[in-house]
Amino acid sequence: MVGLYNVFLFALVSSQTIFKEEVKPTSQEVNFLTRYGYLPPQPHGSDFSVTAQSISEAVKKMQKFAGLPPTGELDPETMKLFRRRRCGMKDILDAKTKNRLKRYILQQGWDKKTITYRVHNGSSTLEQSRVEAIMTAGLAVWAPHGNLRFIQVEETKADIEVSFVSKDHGDGFPFDGPGRIVAHAFPPPHGAMHFDDDELWGDSPDEDNEDVTDLFAVAVHEIGHALGLSHSDVKASVMYPYYQVPVEKLHEDDILGMHELYLKEATTSTPAEFLYAKPSSSVPRFTKSDISYEEEDDIPDLCFTNYNTIQSMQGKLFVFEEEWMWVLSRRRKIIDGYPKKIHDVFVGLPKYIDVIKTIYEKRNGHIVIFSGRFFWEFSSRYRLIKRGRLSEYSVPPQVSELTSVFISNYNNKTYLIEYEKFWRFDEHTMTMDKGYPKEMSAWRKVPYPVDAALIWEGDTFFFRGPRFWRFDNNKIQAHEYYPLPTAQIWFPCALTPEMASYTTNEDI
Ligand SMILES: *[C@@H]1O[C@H](CO)[C@@H](O)[C@H](O)[C@H]1NC(C)=O
Ligand SMILES: *[C@@H]1O[C@H](CO)[C@@H](O)[C@H](O)[C@H]1NC(C)=O
Ligand SMILES: [Zn+2]
Ligand SMILES: [Zn+2]
């Protein structure tokens, strides 16, 4: 690993662009352009090194998106944008990467019509009950445009989880104190919605009030993200990234986005009003229904895809994506005969389980695959032994699936991860350890939810999308040189320009 990493670093350094003296944008401005997708991510830890031309191009794009004349110059109107209150989500999603990656990065809608939400707390200035009322009203604005029903829950985990937090709050997207970023929300299936508690939240819109931020206006926008919409460059739309009040109703552009996400399959005849305009907010081109059109034997390229999960078992590395699996030796070599279809290896796994997302090897060598509230246990030679319920792992009944499971080599305990929480289970006594669940933010500097968690040569690794992190048990946080690109470090894959963007937590 260490040798590989050095090669990688060298490649990264030698490909850096030349810093030109003519333009000296402040690092804040470069950060802004990078954060919202106008500039490619800057290599981790390096001083920003961007050319005058790339800055000017980025500024043009930003001006266009905001509805200003695209001059490429940092004129006063443009400078104002850097300071305006706005949403923390990206404006430009990375479109350069191949389709397979796109399918992961671009938002999807919920694959159900009834969606739960939960308000964890109020802000320092608005009571929780007031926030709940505003959320309910905000959701009602969207509901009819996707035939959706929203149900408030109090105890169980909800699809959309709302909370007020400040500064670094564990998801890799720290808030920035008063002003500028006021909120962000993650697309399905994540759905978390965070409001910056350093803002002075109020419940009456006042355009000229620089101090008070209207929660309803921001909530309606963030709900759009939690339903799968991304930013729009239509200024009158709710999904425009900069703060605007008052918000009274959705714009046609927002409605078209919802139509693409939630009503396309249901409606056989497209209403005339939808035939002519294309929504400018990005919606997925590669949805689940598109996948079935793919050729049966369209095997994902291990070097250029995301991974449903990765696990170390039997001293080897197992990689799962779609209905395929690869097994690699310690030397990054794909074992002969792979990739294979998961059902050809794990015979007896029900066919409706079309991807493997959660798998681990028990101390006795058995391999356990989790799906929903059940698990399937196989012998080390892949013979089905039994099907069991999650409750055998003492997981509370409201947990509907686990996203990763691994056994720590440090204490021999089994870590059961569910999106934002994890439990520690003792398989020896078959009891859950006290004090759990804990928040995933306990693994500091590791963005979550993670796709995979595993132990490799004594170290703990986390994987998400195309990146991975190594956990530093001494500092109790991700090691400072991470993330790094998964494909180039773990698999026999060539170095690519994209991987530089996988060395920061910036655009996750
Ligand atoms: C709201 O809850 C989150 C976690 O659930 C916590 O981190 C945050 O401090 C709380 N905010 C307030 C304003 O109490
Ligand atoms: C963990 O389990 C293994 C195998 O059963 C054993 O060799 C090892 O000593 C155990 N380690 C701890 C810390 O209990
Ligand atoms: Zn937004
Ligand atoms: Zn957050």
Side-chain angles (χ1 to χ4, degrees), residues 363 409-412:
R363 283 280 177 232
N409 59 330
Y410 184 68
N411 53 20
N412 278 348

Side-chain angles (χ1 to χ4, degrees), residues 40-60:
Q42 304 303 300
H44 199 58
S46 75
D47 281 344
F48 56 89
S49 49
V50 277
T51 61
Q53 197 191 345
S54 66
I55 287 282
S56 164
E57 287 303 313
V59 169
K60 267 189 210 166

Side-chain angles (χ1 to χ4, degrees), residues 165 169 171 173 175 184 186 194:
V165 293
H169 52 281
D171 57 11
F173 292 90
F175 282 138
H184 57 217
F186 300 95
H194 297 152

Side-chain angles (χ1 to χ4, degrees), residues 89 163 165-175 183-186 190 192-195 448:
M89 302 304 283
S163 56
V165 293
S166 57
K167 303 280 164 62
D168 191 344
H169 52 281
D171 57 11
F173 292 90
F175 282 138
H184 57 217
F186 300 95
H190 189 288
M193 189 179 300
H194 297 152
F195 295 95
Y448 53 88

Side-chain angles (χ1 to χ4, degrees), residues 311-356:
Q311 190 51 277
S312 64
M313 299 188 290
Q314 307 180 332
K316 300 191 177 68
L317 196 69
F318 285 61
V319 185
F320 298 88
E321 170 66 1
E322 297 176 2
E323 73 266 46
W324 297 94
M325 61 183 279
W326 293 254
V327 181
L328 290 94
S329 72
R330 289 203 169 266
R331 305 181 151 268
R332 306 196 303 159
K333 197 177 166 298
I334 297 175
I335 305 285
D336 283 348
Y338 288 92
K340 291 184 183 170
K341 293 206 164 169
I342 54 180
H343 288 105
D344 292 345
V345 176
F346 295 105
V347 176
L349 187 70
K351 284 285 156 54
Y352 68 81
I353 298 177
D354 52 359
V355 296
I356 292 179

Side-chain angles (χ1 to χ4, degrees), residues 257-289:
M258 286 297 281
H259 179 78
E260 287 259 321
L261 281 178
Y262 292 100
L263 299 178
K264 229 175 168 178
E265 279 157 40
T267 50
T268 42
S269 60
T270 310
E273 59 189 294
F274 293 128
L275 281 175
Y276 301 105
K278 270 256 149 240
S280 54
S281 57
S282 310
V283 287
R285 301 226 173 83
F286 296 87
T287 56
K288 272 248 154 36
S289 60

Side-chain angles (χ1 to χ4, degrees), residues 197-451:
D197 197 38
D198 283 334
E199 311 304 336
L200 197 56
W201 293 101
D203 61 356
S204 61
D206 178 357
E207 219 169 330
D208 300 322
N209 194 332
E210 290 278 320
D211 298 326
V212 178
T213 305
D214 180 44
L215 183 64
F216 181 74
V218 177
V220 172
H221 174 98
E222 298 306 330
I223 291 166
H225 287 309
L227 295 178
L229 295 177
S230 52
H231 284 156
S232 166
D233 59 2
V234 175
K235 202 167 174 198
S237 76
V238 163
M239 293 316 290
Y240 186 70
Y242 301 94
Y243 175 70
Q244 336 186 76
V245 282
V247 163
E248 275 152 4
K249 57 187 178 61
L250 299 183
H251 182 270
E252 193 183 41
D253 189 68
D254 305 311
I255 295 170
L256 284 168
M258 286 297 281
H259 179 78
E260 287 259 321
L261 281 178
Y262 292 100
L263 299 178
K264 229 175 168 178
E265 279 157 40
T267 50
T268 42
S269 60
T270 310
E273 59 189 294
F274 293 128
L275 281 175
Y276 301 105
K278 270 256 149 240
S280 54
S281 57
S282 310
V283 287
R285 301 226 173 83
F286 296 87
T287 56
K288 272 248 154 36
S289 60
D290 288 323
I291 296 171
S292 57
Y293 298 135
E294 284 178 5
E295 291 283 297
E296 261 272 281
D297 288 324
D298 181 11
I299 305 173
D301 181 345
L302 190 63
C303 296
F304 215 103
T305 186
N306 289 287
Y307 314 100
N308 289 133
T309 196
I310 301 174
Q311 190 51 277
S312 64
M313 299 188 290
Q314 307 180 332
K316 300 191 177 68
L317 196 69
F318 285 61
V319 185
F320 298 88
E321 170 66 1
E322 297 176 2
E323 73 266 46
W324 297 94
M325 61 183 279
W326 293 254
V327 181
L328 290 94
S329 72
R330 289 203 169 266
R331 305 181 151 268
R332 306 196 303 159
K333 197 177 166 298
I334 297 175
I335 305 285
D336 283 348
Y338 288 92
K340 291 184 183 170
K341 293 206 164 169
I342 54 180
H343 288 105
D344 292 345
V345 176
F346 295 105
V347 176
L349 187 70
K351 284 285 156 54
Y352 68 81
I353 298 177
D354 52 359
V355 296
I356 292 179
K357 291 195 282 193
T358 313
I359 187 168
Y360 86 112
E361 183 183 26
K362 291 173 69 153
R363 283 280 177 232
N364 65 6
H366 289 181
I367 290 175
V368 182
I369 295 173
F370 293 84
S371 183
R373 290 193 163 90
F374 295 95
F375 67 82
W376 285 260
E377 188 164 333
F378 292 82
S379 73
S380 57
R381 308 184 69 179
Y382 313 135
R383 296 205 20 190
L384 182 60
I385 294 172
K386 66 175 265 196
R387 185 186 85 150
R389 289 174 180 276
L390 257 176
S391 52
E392 291 179 36
Y393 283 83
S394 301
V395 175
Q398 62 266 32
V399 173
S400 57
E401 71 174 343
L402 294 174
T403 50
S404 298
V405 175
F406 71 98
I407 297 182
S408 162
N409 59 330
Y410 184 68
N411 53 20
N412 278 348
K413 301 283 177 111
T414 308
Y415 287 75
L416 307 161
I417 302 176
E418 181 218 17
Y419 298 102
E420 300 181 320
K421 293 193 204 83
F422 68 97
W423 289 263
R424 204 176 75 188
F425 185 70
D426 188 329
E427 292 196 44
H428 194 64
T429 60
M430 293 301 280
T431 54
M432 195 68 97
D433 283 353
K434 291 223 165 57
Y436 291 84
K438 290 190 174 162
E439 296 279 323
M440 282 300 285
S441 54
W443 308 96
R444 288 190 297 149
K445 307 210 169 172
V446 177
Y448 53 88
V450 297
D451 299 327

